[in-house]
Amino acid sequence: MNKLKIEIFFSLILMLFSCVWGVLFLCLVLNNCCYIISWEIFNSMNLFVELDILFDWVSCSFGMMVCLISSSVSIFSVSYMKGDMNSKRFMLVLMLFVMSMNFLIFIPSFVSLILGWDGLGLVSFCLVIYYQNNKSLSAGMLTVLMNRVGDCFILAGISIMALLGHWNYLCIWYFWFFDVCMIFVVVAGMTKSAQIPFSSWLPAAMAAPTPVSALVHSSTLVTAGVFLLIRFYYCLIEVEYFCMFMVFISIMTTFMSGVCAVYEYDMKKVIALSTLSQLGVMMMSLSMKMPMLALFHLYTHAMFKALLFLCGGNIIHCYNGVQDIRDIKGVWYSLPFTSVVFNISNMALCGFPFLAGFYSKDLIMEMLLVSNMNLFMGLFGMFGVCLTMLYSMRMSMWMMWGDVKSMVYENMSDDDEYVMCSMIMLCFGALFGGFMLQSLVMNFNEVIVLPVMYKLLVVLLLFFSLLFSLSIWSESFGKVYYGIVYWCNSKMWFLSFLSSNPFLIVMKGSTNMSLKLVDLGWLEIMGGQGLLMFLKKVMSLMEYWMIVLFNIYVIVIIFILIFL
């Protein structure tokens, strides 16, 4: 009972904070105002360090979303982590993760922001290696090393912003090395949001427990990079070629993740690649100069993606840890409630009309149609978004509507009150969250004038993708998965080899060389071991000459006595 109390206690605290941030969000968005609390820590000449806390509708709404999803994940953890011996430690680290994200959201200072930014990377390493095995350790090392790249660029941006005499990114003006500082911010956001070529760590982080995955992929770690670029957006558009660069990166990320998800059989990795695809859509919205639509899609995506992970986690828990979709059949028969909620979240991910994902994705796709993007990149973007329906329906067809497995597991239960409560909380967000946010926030509305055919094109593409996914679901289509195409796409276009392996090989070679040349070489000779050998030789030489001189002295004394 003691183990159950801590999850419920943290869930109630997070729900309370979510309500507080929600009330503040409504007050700020209705009054169109914001508040900044500033605490000056010290002032030295023309450089002063202060701690700022920003309360505007963006930070309060994002904080409300993070606390709401974290509360649902905490309730779900009661059932999922029931048999774990260290569940109390797990919840404490999870709350540290949520606290780091809130630091990142509410602090507008570049120096203080590193508390949340670096805290997310370090705590995510602790959560990824929670299951202590070689696979988790490899995934944790890949995650933390890739995130350290972004941390280094943030630190470099802090050092450059020292030229301004302050680090508040709400008050940045053009200065020397302004473009370099913004490039550092862009690269840091790309690493944290796993854009190409930094995408390999996102599926690897699936080694963490499913509640962690639900939190990481919905509203915390991977969305931190998008949120940072939204905050710096009005500075980034001053940099030449920023939009051209980001539109290429985002569309390639969306396309690559969609194609790789079609060739993936691990359920959690399919959901992780769908997160990567939606992050590409958010970055695409940013590159088309629509930061508020990117934020809108971030909010809607957070609700249905957390729900999707909770449903997937319950299925994995009930099937005794099986994650291969080829081995999970007949979920509709054994877990009817989870099956219904899973399909709702899947439809919201695909952008089914009048669900949460439809309101944001439809606006972004319509803005893609009216933008002055070239035809080639526009088609790639549309095709990458349509692939969402393909791999989502593929996963549902394998798991939900396949043949019922003859094996019956002991914990095959769909009536756990904690699981149902957490899913129902997020299910309302997946059903009505998009409509409510679009009704409350005027910045989430765009007036787009398009011909009727273009207006219906997004819905037509949705149903075309549905029909196409139904047509390819056959046993004969499985032959396509083999060969070089399957090998390339199952390895995420070899990004893991190209991004992590060369780095690890170079680091291993350099450390071995430094070990032999420095640690076992010059430091041995010039350091303690060398000094010890030198002293031994000096002492042995002194001992030798002392014996020789003593013998000579004795001989001389004997001769003197003889002569006397």
Side-chain angles (χ1 to χ4, degrees), residues 315-415:
I315 294 170
I316 293 170
H317 185 65
C318 292
Y319 279 80
N320 288 348
V322 177
Q323 295 183 200
D324 197 318
I325 59 176
R326 293 169 293 187
D327 296 330
I328 302 174
K329 302 292 184 182
V331 178
W332 64 270
Y333 179 76
S334 54
L335 303 171
F337 177 77
T338 303
S339 177
V340 170
V341 178
F342 185 88
N343 286 321
I344 289 174
S345 57
N346 242 346
M347 289 191 294
L349 170 65
C350 297
F352 199 80
F354 310 113
L355 295 181
F358 170 75
Y359 291 92
S360 54
K361 286 182 73 173
D362 184 72
L363 279 175
I364 293 173
M365 298 312 296
E366 288 185 358
M367 290 299 294
L368 179 63
L369 291 173
V370 300
S371 64
N372 57 354
M373 191 181 300
N374 65 67
L375 180 63
F376 182 73
M377 296 305 294
L379 289 176
F380 258 88
M382 298 290 285
F383 183 62
V385 173
C386 290
L387 283 172
T388 307
M389 174 66 79
L390 187 60
Y391 58 75
S392 299
M393 289 301 298
R394 171 178 173 266
M395 183 169 60
S396 291
M397 288 170 180
W398 276 100
M399 295 168 50
M400 302 295 165
W401 304 308
D403 297 331
V404 179
K405 298 289 284 186
S406 59
M407 184 182 297
V408 179
Y409 296 96
E410 295 180 359
N411 54 351
M412 191 70 70
S413 170
D414 203 20
D415 55 356

Side-chain angles (χ1 to χ4, degrees), residues 194-263:
Q195 301 296 297
I196 281 182
F198 308 107
S199 305
S200 58
W201 70 266
L202 192 64
M206 289 296 97
T210 303
V212 176
S213 303
L215 201 56
V216 165
H217 286 256
S218 60
S219 58
T220 51
L221 183 63
V222 296
T223 58
V226 178
F227 186 76
L228 183 74
L229 295 187
I230 290 173
R231 285 297 199 191
F232 276 92
Y233 170 74
Y234 295 103
C235 299
L236 294 174
I237 57 175
E238 301 294 332
V239 180
E240 194 175 4
Y241 303 122
F242 162 72
C243 293
M244 294 174 60
F245 173 73
M246 283 310 300
V247 74
F248 174 75
I249 292 295
S250 60
I251 288 178
M252 290 307 298
T253 303
T254 303
F255 179 73
M256 181 271 297
S257 56
V259 172
C260 293
V262 175
Y263 289 86

Side-chain angles (χ1 to χ4, degrees), residues 247-304:
V247 74
F248 174 75
I249 292 295
S250 60
I251 288 178
M252 290 307 298
T253 303
T254 303
F255 179 73
M256 181 271 297
S257 56
V259 172
C260 293
V262 175
Y263 289 86
E264 185 60 60
Y265 287 109
D266 191 322
M267 179 175 59
K268 287 183 70 175
K269 286 190 177 180
V270 173
I271 303 175
L273 289 169
S274 72
T275 301
L276 188 56
S277 175
Q278 301 310 306
L279 290 171
V281 172
M282 296 173 204
M283 290 292 189
M284 188 196 309
S285 177
L286 269 173
S287 63
M288 292 187 295
K289 300 182 179 180
M290 298 180 296
M292 290 299 105
L293 284 187
L295 186 68
F296 185 25
H297 190 55
L298 191 153
Y299 289 166
T300 56
H301 169 262
M303 289 182 282
F304 61 72

Side-chain angles (χ1 to χ4, degrees), residues 61-126:
S61 58
F62 201 10
M64 176 190 67
M65 199 69 63
V66 170
C67 292
L68 177 64
I69 294 172
S70 304
S71 176
S72 301
V73 169
S74 300
I75 297 174
F76 179 76
S77 300
V78 176
S79 176
Y80 191 84
M81 308 295 291
K82 185 187 298 182
D84 190 59
M85 298 293 293
N86 301 313
S87 60
K88 186 178 293 187
R89 181 194 307 169
F90 171 77
M91 285 305 303
L92 290 174
V93 178
L94 200 66
M95 291 305 106
L96 188 61
F97 195 64
V98 177
M99 186 177 68
S100 299
M101 190 64 196
N102 279 280
F103 275 140
L104 178 68
I105 293 170
F106 288 99
I107 296 179
S109 175
F110 217 15
V111 172
S112 304
L113 176 138
I114 201 68
L115 293 172
W117 187 269
D118 211 1
L120 285 173
L122 294 176
V123 178
S124 65
F125 172 72
C126 299

